[in-house]
Amino acid sequence: MEINNIKTLGQLKAAGYKSTGIKDELRNNLREKIKTGKPVFEGVHGFENTVIPELERAILSRHNINLLGLRGQAKTRLARKMVELLDEYIPFVTGSEINDDPLNPISRFAKDLIEEKGDETPISWLHRSERFFEKLATPDVTVADLIGDVDPIKAANLKLSYADDRVIHFGMIPRANRCIFVINELPDLQARIQVALFNILQEGDIQIRGFKLRMPLDMQFIFTANPEDYTNRGSIVTPLKDRIGSQILTHYPETVEIARTITQQEAKLDQNQSDIVYVPSLARDILEQISFEARESEYIDNKSGVSARMSITAFENLISSAERRALKSGVDKTNLRLSDFMGIIPAITGKVELVYEGEQEGAAVVAQHLIGSAIRTLFPSLFPKIEKLEKPGEKTPYSDLIEWFFAESGFELLDDASDAEYQSILDEVTPLDLLLKKYHPELDKKDQYFMKEFVLWALVEYKKLSKDRFAQGHQFKDMYGSYISKL
């Protein structure tokens, strides 16, 4: 059907157009995608076997949906992706405030216009990108905002009494007729406003200032909410929950690999940053592991959650730390260093909600603790495990390295050291070269220095070496030597 040639109701009828409700429209297009094996929610990772099948069942069942989950779990993204299941264009009566279906008008304006002009009634076409409405629930939202109110200016201009339904100004929900309407953070909506949604969800009629209008709005509602045991601001009233067809629980990425894919997709980097900074694969794993550590940390409120946005902004900061160093050194390319992870602390401190113990430690200290915990977790998968207790005089894979620090009194790694200085300092620690040759003989040369620094940081976490932070960088020393120096 060539929509450019269809501009009146008569032409629409002649073309054999059949009206379809939005829930059936979503259902039919989803059925086609499933049958042909086409991806339905592209760009959403980690939900393939959990959330997406439940969401597809809800759409096939023509349900209004509540996506329940902690912050940063792609709830709003899922809702926006549903737009792709809509028909590309739908017709509506030209001039209608509520996108009246020309074959099934529900507003007084559209009914009067069709009665007056018949088959000559003008129609327009609405693209699916314009059929998505979103409202963040805040305590100041009113019934008038969502549903509508009497407009005294319209009454005066049209010289109508308040008893005439033409004085009504429609709110966001009626204006989203035949569209997807999302209310984010539903528990934040005051209970009396939630009550106003009852009839719209169940019976399809709306009430505005004493007007009872039988307007069977054709809508797909999607709500998002955090678990009620976390939100102290309010909850979803029980009768409203009863009217929502499916409640679907979202979750965080279950593996580091999935988390890496999400961060890579969402991080906003320009081509200059990608060209300047080389990022070892291990660095990406450490970055994602930090979020996993945060979700289990005793210092962080796990009911609040740790958003996937933390890893995304932390990765952006991480690249920027290396980029800044390269610019200061006047070089065109640089490799990411483990010490660059100090640059992600501002991205962590603003994204986590600390419990009392965490507040006592301080947000920056907790962030450093998370970085250390991530390194400690990943180290045994790359090198032999460091035992907590060792027999006196027993030789371990790390004995030569620890003895080197005891003999050489350690060294300093400056944050802004040039690549040549940085590599020269690490090259002096000859036991590190031997360790890498033994356990990672095929390691890419570009990854070697990051891996060397990783070993040092891990030995600090396992209390085999000492690391002190000062204004310009880090100082690595023998553990016992640092104790002696403090005496």
Side-chain angles (χ1 to χ4, degrees), residues 16 60 83 181 198 215 228 263 274 293 329 345 455 478:
L60 292 172
V83 172
F181 192 87
F198 290 178
M215 296 181 68
E228 291 179 50
T263 300
S274 301
E293 299 294 331
S329 300
I345 290 176
V455 172
D478 167 66

Side-chain angles (χ1 to χ4, degrees), residues 297-309:
S297 173
E298 60 183 344
Y299 298 122
I300 294 171
D301 185 359
N302 57 18
K303 291 180 181 177
S304 164
V306 177
S307 169
R309 286 183 283 270

Side-chain angles (χ1 to χ4, degrees), residues 9 93-94 105 107-122 166:
L9 178 57
V93 176
T94 301
S107 73
R108 178 164 175 172
F109 165 82
K111 289 176 180 177
D112 289 350
L113 187 64
I114 291 172
E115 186 176 344
E116 176 190 345
K117 297 194 173 184
D119 284 349
E120 294 303 310
T121 303
R166 286 175 289 179

Side-chain angles (χ1 to χ4, degrees), residues 229-261:
D229 59 350
Y230 163 61
T231 54
N232 299 317
R233 301 154 298 203
S235 61
I236 306 172
V237 297
T238 303
L240 181 59
K241 283 197 288 188
D242 185 51
R243 286 166 166 80
I244 299 172
S246 292
Q247 178 170 281
I248 298 170
L249 301 179
T250 58
H251 57 81
Y252 287 120
E254 295 174 341
T255 66
V256 168
E257 290 74 19
I258 293 171
R260 276 182 57 163
T261 302

Side-chain angles (χ1 to χ4, degrees), residues 148-168:
D149 204 348
V150 170
D151 186 349
I153 296 175
K154 184 185 284 189
N157 288 340
L158 298 176
K159 297 180 180 179
L160 299 171
S161 76
Y162 282 180
D164 194 311
D165 63 5
R166 286 175 289 179
V167 303
I168 291 174

Side-chain angles (χ1 to χ4, degrees), residues 269-283:
L269 303 178
D270 64 30
Q271 192 58 47
N272 285 334
Q273 291 175 305
S274 301
D275 292 341
I276 291 172
V277 183
Y278 171 74
V279 185
S281 179
L282 177 57

Side-chain angles (χ1 to χ4, degrees), residues 426-472:
L426 289 176
D427 283 341
E428 290 177 8
V429 190
T430 50
L432 271 176
D433 286 316
L434 298 173
L435 196 67
L436 261 60
K437 285 178 183 176
K438 182 174 181 180
Y439 295 105
H440 294 279
E442 299 179 0
L443 186 67
D444 192 305
K445 189 175 181 180
K446 291 193 292 186
D447 295 338
Q448 287 181 0
Y449 290 98
F450 187 89
M451 187 69 84
K452 286 181 180 182
E453 200 179 353
F454 174 72
V455 172
L456 297 181
W457 282 61
L459 289 173
V460 171
E461 288 302 313
Y462 283 96
K463 303 194 184 322
K464 300 300 180 183
L465 292 180
S466 169
K467 174 172 65 68
D468 295 316
R469 176 71 182 169
F470 61 98
Q472 290 82 30

